[in-house]
Every structure is written in C-alpha cells, then in structure tokens.
Amino acid sequence: MTATTATAGLNRPGTWLRRRTGGLAPSGWAAVAVLAIVVLISFVGPYLIHTDPNAVDLSSAYYAPSAAHPFGQDASGRDILARLIFGGRTALIGPFLVVAASTVVGTVLALAAVWFGGWFDAVVVRVIDAIFAFPGLLLAILATALFGAGLPAAIVALSISYIPYIARVVRSAALRERSLPYVAALRVQGVRGSMISLRHILPNVASLIVANATLAFGFALIDLAALSFIGLGVQPPTADWGAMVGQGMAGILQQQPAESIYASVLIVITVGAANLLGDRLTERSEARA
Amino acid sequence: MSAPLLQVEGLTKSFGRGQFESLVVDGVGFELHAGGSLGIVGESGSGKTTTARMLIGLERPTAGRITLDGEDHTHPARSVKALRARGRQIQIVFQDPYTSLDRRQRIGDCLAEVLRVHFRLGRAEVGARVRELGQLVGLDERQLRALPKALSGGQRQRVAIARALAADPKIVILDEAVSALDVSIQAQILNLLADIRERKGVSYLFISHDLAVIRQITDHTIVMRHGKVVEAGPTAQVLDNPTHPYTRLLRDSVPRADWTPGAHAATEPQEQAR
C-alpha cells in the first residue's frame, strides 16, 4: 500500500512482467489465449466451414479421416470436425448463461444482504446454505424430469445451484468492505445504501467476482456436458461436446473412439484453461486487496 | 453566552445484554458553542470514539440526549433525507487515512460525489467547488486527479478533511484525526485545522489521547475514563492544574527528558468512589 510494499514488490520475481501484463501471471495469459482460440473457433468457425454437421450418410459410418472429413465420420457418417465446431457453440453458450445468471443474482443478493444486515442477511445466508445442500447436477436432473429434457431446464436449474458459490464469496468480501471507515463516511454524508453498494463496494469486490465467475464457468461446462452425456441436456441431433462424448460411446466398443476422444479433449482443454485463469485471477485480486 | 450549538446530556451506551453487558459510555455530558473547539481526552477504551459515533449517528445511544442547534439528534437518522440534513450539520474525520477513502475513487470524484449529494450543482460548479475545497486543504489539481494510493497519509487526511467540509457543516468531529501521522505532518494538519476554523467558523470536537495535540487545538477539554467524564474545563486549566488524579496521571505519562515509565505505572490511581 505504501512505499514499503512497493519496494518489496520490486524484488519479487516476475514483477516487471506482471506490471506490464495487468498483474496477471504468464500462465493466466496462456489460459486467456487458449480460451480465446476455443471461443473463436466455436463462434466464427461455423461461418467458415461448409460442411453440414447434421448431414447423415450411413454408408460412410466410422470412416477414417480423409481430405473431405479431416477428423473422420461418426456412427451416422456425419463429419466429426463440423460437429466439434458447431458443438463448441452449444457447449460454451450453456455455461455462459449459467454463470451470467448466477453471478448477477448472487451478487445482488449478497450486496443487499451485506447492506441491510440483520434478519435479511440471516435469511439470505440460510437460503444460500439450503441451495448449497443440493448438488447442482441432481437439481438439474430433477428439473429435466419435471420440465422435460433439454438445455433450458438444465440451464435454469444449474443457474440456481450456482448462486451460492458467487453469493458466498461476494458476501464475505463485501462484508469486509462495508466495515471500512470510508463506507461510514459516505453514510454520514447521506449517500444512499444502493449507491454505496453499487458505486463503491461492488467495484472493490469486482475482481473477485470475475475470478469466481471464471471458475464457475469451468464447472458449469462440465455439469452441462455431463447432463448432455446422459442424454438430459442438449438433444440430438444438435451437436454438443458432452452429447458427442455420450454418442461416441457406442463407437468405443467398435474400436472407433475418435468422436468421444476429440470431444473429451476439447472439454478438458476448455475447462482446464477456465480453471487456470480463474485461479490466476483470484491470486491477482488477493494480491491487490 | 448564547445557547450551545451542541448539547449532550447523560449520554450512555452499553453493548451486550445481561451478564455480558458492558457500559462503554456512562452518563457523558458536555456543551460545544458555535466556533468553539472541545477536546475529549482519555486512554484507549475510555469511550471517546463511541461517543463520537453516537454524535454522528453511527451508533444508537442507550440513554441520554443529543441536541444540535435546537434539533434532537439522539437517535440515528432513518431516511436518506434526514441523513443528508444531518450531514450538513455535523461531519467526521476518521483516524485511519488509509481506509477512510475508497481506493478506487479519484480524490476529485470523491469530493464531487459528496457535493452532488448535498447541493444541486452543474458540472462546472461542482468542478469549481472541488478545486476550492482542494485549495482550502492544500491539494493541487494533480492530487485531485490522483487515486488515494498516490497520496501520503497526511495528504489523504487533507482529503478526508475536505470531504468533511464539503457540505459546510457546523461541527466537525476529528476522531484521532492526526494520531496516525508523523509528528511534523501532525503539526501541518493542526495548523490547517486552526486556519479553517478561523476562516469558516466551524466548531471542532477533537478526540485524542495526545495531550500536546489537545492543548494546541482546543479551548475546552473533557477528560474521559471508563466511559465517564472525570474532569472538564478550559483546556489550559485542565492540563496545567488537573484536580482529578487520572488527569494528573495522563499528563505525567507524557515522556519528558527525566521521565521513567515505572514511576507512573506505580501511581495508577484506584477507581474513584463516586
């Protein structure tokens, strides 16, 4: 904070690089690069390739890679590369919606709980604990049982079950922030609680929110892929990584594991990068706190 | 003399209940006249800060009365409107200059925000008032554009003073406002405060454990111990001819050339029967 920490920082390895790179460690930037490539391929790719991911050709089932089909063909003779590219879009949009919804709701809930305190805070904490008690996947399975299999029900259910992860972290950080004298100073000036929460407390805990949302993205991707894998998420014939792993299972028994392997590798790479970036962002926000 | 600006009677605050109840402020009473400067001295835990927090409305008194300019201020304001009205009457500067500013807000924005809360001003007027406040406390344009981390403790405390003065309050509470600063910076800030008092006619309630500081900035002083006022009067009289043994102890605890800590620890006065 003062000159002492500034000089201490000079002796820390990598400080120069970190300062030049927004305080994020090199591995964090590597994760950003991986995610950027995955996002680019998934969202721009579909416009660049001319192969229909849903074109069935049963006569060429499990065909090995060829010039026309670089990654080979699946059990129905569909082009695996095209399905991976189109599948990325579904695989990424789902967790993004989950994270967006749970982050907004969780943050607002936590900030309100911290500001009003008292019984309201106690109720919010209890509700959060109650949601925490339900495994997200189980809640999503329940939702698909009630509202029918498919992405919408799964996304809504997972959004609810991810609220506690964000709300908990934001609440504890905001609680610390609220106890600082500057908040008391704003209060005695007559600044509205909503203004203090949104314009002062929120920006000061924002880096932590971003870090946790990134981590949650990885977990949500796995959960949604798992749901699609067991057939409750994305419905055929729509391409999706999780669903491809599941559909490719039959091929594994016939010595044709390509579809499952390619899709699994993409899931692992994406989730790994999201987790790595989330960890680096958490470190950065802790270093700056 | 006219009616006091601030009148405090039998102010009491206890925390906890039943066997865990502890009386932090116990029947404190004092008066502060317009343009006056009142010091509250006492050791850590004597209830000085709790008294300040009750005056500013951050804490609800268990008993007693606070009257400011004829209005009852005993209980904290509830509505935003009432909070703002009180904000224009009484303000506070906290001890720690590092946590009393939002680390993500530029100094000028911090002052502008407070000005917009209290007055309907256009952009240019806000800018002019911010520069004016900066001048009053000795902050230049560059510092007004800076984030708090670019400023020293003394400069930050100037910002906190400017923020407290933004709404033109009648009273500013300075809760150990110079205790976290170097002695030379302390002197600068004390001079600044004396200067502002002269120019603006604002009254100070100066809370400190430092007798030298109290002597420099206040006309009247009360001495608090265990939540009670043990001595009150004009500052010079209280500090030069203390009648209460605790005040004498406080005064004699200030290190001097021939000072030995042991001698004073031994003469710790026993709890006075009152």
Side-chain angles (χ1 to χ4, degrees), chain A residues 1-2 177 180-193 195-196 199-201 203-205 207 288-289, chain B residues 56-58 80 83-84 87 90-92 94 98-105 113-114 117-118 149 156 163-164 167:
Chain A
M1 190 179 284
T2 47
E177 206 63 27
L180 294 177
Y182 82 82
V183 173
L186 288 163
R187 250 175 92 199
V188 301
Q189 291 282 5
V191 181
R192 272 174 220 283
M195 287 297 257
I196 298 178
R199 286 188 47 188
H200 296 275
I201 296 179
N204 278 302
V205 300
S207 60
R288 286 184 176 179
Chain B
I56 199 81
L58 287 171
V80 169
L83 269 168
R84 290 180 180 183
I90 185 163
Q91 274 302 326
I92 187 161
F94 292 103
Y98 292 93
T99 53
S100 64
L101 300 174
D102 181 350
R103 56 195 177 278
R104 284 182 174 270
Q105 194 175 35
E113 182 181 16
V114 172
V117 163
H118 292 289
K149 68 176 176 193
R156 288 179 201 215
R163 177 177 60 190

Side-chain angles (χ1 to χ4, degrees), chain B residues 51-216:
Chain B
T51 304
R53 289 178 67 86
M54 286 190 281
L55 292 176
I56 199 81
L58 287 171
E59 215 76 69
R60 179 178 290 273
T62 314
R65 249 179 100 73
I66 302 167
T67 316
L68 202 165
D69 210 12
E71 287 168 50
D72 183 54
H73 274 222
T74 309
H75 296 296
R78 289 189 146 260
S79 69
V80 169
K81 205 176 153 218
L83 269 168
R84 290 180 180 183
R86 287 194 190 185
R88 287 189 284 270
Q89 298 265 15
I90 185 163
Q91 274 302 326
I92 187 161
V93 176
F94 292 103
Q95 171 172 9
D96 184 1
Y98 292 93
T99 53
S100 64
L101 300 174
D102 181 350
R103 56 195 177 278
R104 284 182 174 270
Q105 194 175 35
R106 293 181 191 285
I107 302 310
D109 296 341
C110 167
L111 299 178
E113 182 181 16
V114 172
L115 287 169
R116 283 199 206 94
V117 163
H118 292 289
F119 310 109
R120 292 181 149 274
L121 296 172
R123 257 183 90 94
E125 290 170 297
V126 170
R129 284 281 288 140
V130 166
R131 279 191 295 277
E132 203 179 299
L133 279 169
Q135 264 167 24
L136 182 69
V137 299
L139 292 168
D140 62 29
E141 296 264 339
R142 195 173 54 83
Q143 287 158 342
L144 289 174
R145 278 193 304 273
L147 283 170
K149 68 176 176 193
L151 301 187
S152 68
Q155 287 167 335
R156 288 179 201 215
Q157 210 57 316
R158 287 171 191 267
V159 177
I161 292 168
R163 177 177 60 190
L165 290 169
D168 257 325
K170 298 193 172 85
I171 299 175
V172 175
I173 300 174
L174 297 135
D175 185 5
E176 301 275 12
V178 297
S179 310
L181 307 176
D182 291 345
V183 178
S184 61
I185 308 295
Q186 270 189 14
Q188 280 180 21
I189 298 287
L190 289 174
N191 287 337
L192 173 71
L193 287 170
D195 201 37
I196 289 171
R197 182 178 162 207
E198 210 167 281
R199 282 160 63 178
K200 296 226 144 197
V202 61
S203 311
Y204 291 145
L205 194 71
F206 204 99
I207 296 171
S208 183
H209 61 268
D210 187 337
L211 298 185
V213 167
I214 288 286
R215 191 188 288 274
Q216 192 177 338

Side-chain angles (χ1 to χ4, degrees), chain A:
Chain A
M1 190 179 284
T2 47
T4 40
T5 40
T7 24
L10 288 177
N11 302 326
R12 211 171 53 205
T15 299
W16 177 84
L17 197 65
R18 273 175 206 217
R19 206 180 301 125
R20 295 297 298 261
T21 55
L24 202 60
S27 59
W29 282 108
V32 170
V34 169
L35 286 177
I37 291 170
V38 170
V39 167
L40 208 66
I41 290 175
S42 302
F43 288 88
V44 180
Y47 299 102
L48 299 181
I49 57 166
H50 303 291
T51 320
D52 180 358
N54 296 325
V56 174
D57 178 10
L58 290 174
S59 64
S60 55
Y62 297 132
Y63 266 32
S66 62
H69 306 288
F71 280 47
Q73 285 160 281
D74 71 359
S76 312
R78 295 176 296 194
D79 181 56
I80 293 181
L81 178 62
R83 290 189 69 74
L84 286 173
I85 291 174
F86 276 83
R89 203 160 54 172
T90 11
L92 296 178
I93 286 180
F96 176 79
L97 291 176
V98 167
V99 167
S102 56
T103 301
V104 169
V105 175
T107 302
V108 169
L109 214 56
L111 289 178
V114 166
W115 186 259
F116 294 111
W119 65 267
F120 184 75
D121 183 43
V123 168
V124 168
V125 170
R126 292 286 156 255
V127 170
I128 285 174
D129 284 348
I131 300 176
F132 239 135
F134 288 97
L137 264 181
L138 227 50
L139 203 67
I141 291 170
L142 181 72
T144 51
L146 288 175
F147 304 108
L151 210 49
I155 288 177
V156 170
L158 279 183
S159 299
I160 293 172
S161 64
Y162 273 69
I163 289 173
Y165 292 96
I166 300 291
R168 262 199 184 182
V169 174
V170 177
R171 182 178 168 275
S172 68
L175 216 50
R176 204 163 48 228
E177 206 63 27
R178 192 199 195 288
S179 68
L180 294 177
Y182 82 82
V183 173
L186 288 163
R187 250 175 92 199
V188 301
Q189 291 282 5
V191 181
R192 272 174 220 283
S194 54
M195 287 297 257
I196 298 178
S197 295
L198 292 178
R199 286 188 47 188
H200 296 275
I201 296 179
L202 180 60
N204 278 302
V205 300
S207 60
L208 210 58
I209 295 176
V210 172
N212 278 279
T214 309
L215 285 174
F217 179 86
F219 294 125
L221 199 155
I222 288 195
D223 281 356
L224 281 173
L227 281 171
S228 299
F229 175 79
I230 57 175
L232 295 176
V234 176
Q235 295 301 301
T238 311
D240 173 80
W241 293 346
M244 285 175 76
V245 177
Q247 286 153 17
M249 290 265 286
I252 296 177
L253 298 175
Q254 300 175 37
Q255 316 290 315
Q256 304 289 345
E259 186 185 8
S260 285
I261 288 180
Y262 289 138
S264 314
V265 166
L266 283 173
I267 292 173
V268 169
I269 288 177
T270 312
V271 172
N275 283 356
L276 184 63
L277 178 60
D279 283 342
R280 292 295 161 269
L281 287 171
T282 309
E283 281 170 18
R284 179 175 73 159
S285 91
E286 277 163 3
R288 286 184 176 179

